[in-house]
Amino acid sequence: KRTRVRARVIAQGLKELNYESSNVFILGHKNPDMDCLGAAVGIWSTVKQMGKTCNIILDNDTNAIEYYMSKLKSDSKYYKMFITKDEAEKNINEKSLLIVVDVHNKGYVSNIELVEKIARKIIIDHHRRSPDIIEGTLLNYIEVYASSTSEMVTELIQYILQKPRIAKLEAEGLLAGIVMDTKGFQFKSGVRTFDAASFLRGLGA
C-alpha cells in the first residue's frame, strides 16, 4: 500500500528542520497510550543524538503509561525528559519546533493552546485524516496504512541517524507501542511492522 520513499523524504525534511531549530518539543494526545509515548521517546532520543535540546510535554493524565513512565523516571539519563505545559511556555521562541505525535485532530491533541503558540510544527500520525486537522504545519506525515505511530518513528530513526544509538528502554517503548496498537500483531500488521519490530529486537527490546 505504501513505499519507503515517503519515509525517506520525511526523514530528510525532519532532519533539516531539526538543525534549524533552537529547541524541540514533543506533544501527544489526551490520555496518552503506549503508542503515543513510545513514539515520543523515539523522537526524543533521535533529536538528542542530533545535539538539540528536546522535551516531551506531559501533564497528569498518565494512567495508561504509568508503568513505563516509572521505568524512565528511575533512570537519571531521562531526568528532565518530561516537562509541563507551563515549563514549555517559558522556553518557546520563534525558532522552537513542535513535533505532534499520534494525533492530528485539534480536539484530541493534549494542549491546543500550546500548539497555537508555536509557529513551526510537524505532525507524525497514523490515524485517518480528520477535517479538524492542526493547521499551519511545516511537515505532515500522516500514514493511515501504518500499524502505529511507533512503527513510523522506528522507520524514520533509521533514515535520520546513520548509526542510531537507541537504548534498550527506548526501543522497548517503541516496541510496546507497536504491540499495543496492533493487538499483538493481529491487526493492521504488514511487512514493515515486522521489519520495525525486528530492528527494535536487535536493539535489545
Side-chain angles (χ1 to χ4, degrees):
K1 288 286 204 308
R2 58 197 180 107
T3 67
R4 289 177 189 268
V5 176
R6 185 150 183 247
R8 281 204 187 108
V9 172
I10 295 285
Q12 192 52 43
L14 219 145
K15 205 171 176 177
E16 284 163 16
L17 288 167
N18 249 317
Y19 282 130
E20 292 162 11
S21 307
S22 56
N23 54 343
V24 181
F25 298 108
I26 303 165
L27 185 70
H29 53 73
K30 293 172 182 169
N31 300 315
D33 54 11
M34 262 325 291
D35 184 33
C36 180
L37 182 60
V41 168
I43 293 279
W44 175 88
S45 179
T46 308
V47 172
K48 293 292 271 187
Q49 287 178 59
M50 290 163 75
K52 291 286 172 186
T53 306
C54 183
N55 300 99
I56 298 170
I57 301 164
L58 198 61
D59 289 317
N60 299 323
D61 50 350
T62 57
N63 293 342
I65 51 175
E66 209 57 71
Y67 174 72
Y68 186 61
M69 287 275 297
S70 65
K71 284 190 141 191
L72 289 169
K73 284 180 174 170
S74 65
D75 188 331
S76 59
K77 180 184 171 187
Y78 304 110
Y79 175 68
K80 281 287 176 200
M81 178 191 221
F82 298 104
I83 57 171
T84 62
K85 164 180 90 49
D86 299 339
E87 288 174 285
E89 280 178 355
K90 291 175 195 157
N91 295 307
I92 293 172
N93 60 49
E94 66 280 359
K95 290 225 124 166
S96 296
L97 178 68
L98 177 69
I99 302 176
V100 180
V101 293
D102 205 32
V103 62
H104 66 270
N105 187 319
K106 287 181 194 166
Y108 293 114
V109 71
S110 76
N111 202 300
I112 193 62
E113 298 84 19
L114 201 68
V115 171
E116 283 161 357
K117 277 183 185 158
I118 300 176
R120 306 168 76 247
K121 299 182 269 277
I122 296 173
I123 293 173
I124 303 173
D125 190 18
H126 72 115
H127 294 104
R128 195 168 293 285
R129 192 180 278 263
S130 140
D132 198 19
I133 189 170
I134 294 164
E135 286 146 5
T137 50
L138 301 172
L139 205 58
N140 267 0
Y141 187 27
I142 299 173
E143 192 68 89
V144 293
Y145 296 116
S147 72
S148 53
T149 307
S150 292
E151 175 192 319
M152 293 165 70
V153 168
T154 303
E155 283 191 358
L156 288 173
I157 289 169
Q158 297 172 70
Y159 294 130
I160 293 171
L161 302 168
Q162 278 188 315
K163 289 185 180 165
R165 293 188 310 281
I166 305 293
K168 179 173 180 277
L169 187 56
E170 295 155 14
E172 277 173 351
L174 284 160
L175 186 58
I178 294 173
V179 170
M180 292 297 280
D181 266 31
T182 57
K183 299 181 173 50
F185 299 103
Q186 295 180 64
F187 176 69
K188 267 182 105 169
S189 300
V191 173
R192 288 167 72 174
T193 315
F194 290 102
D195 274 352
S198 147
F199 170 74
L200 296 167
R201 286 278 293 133
L203 294 168

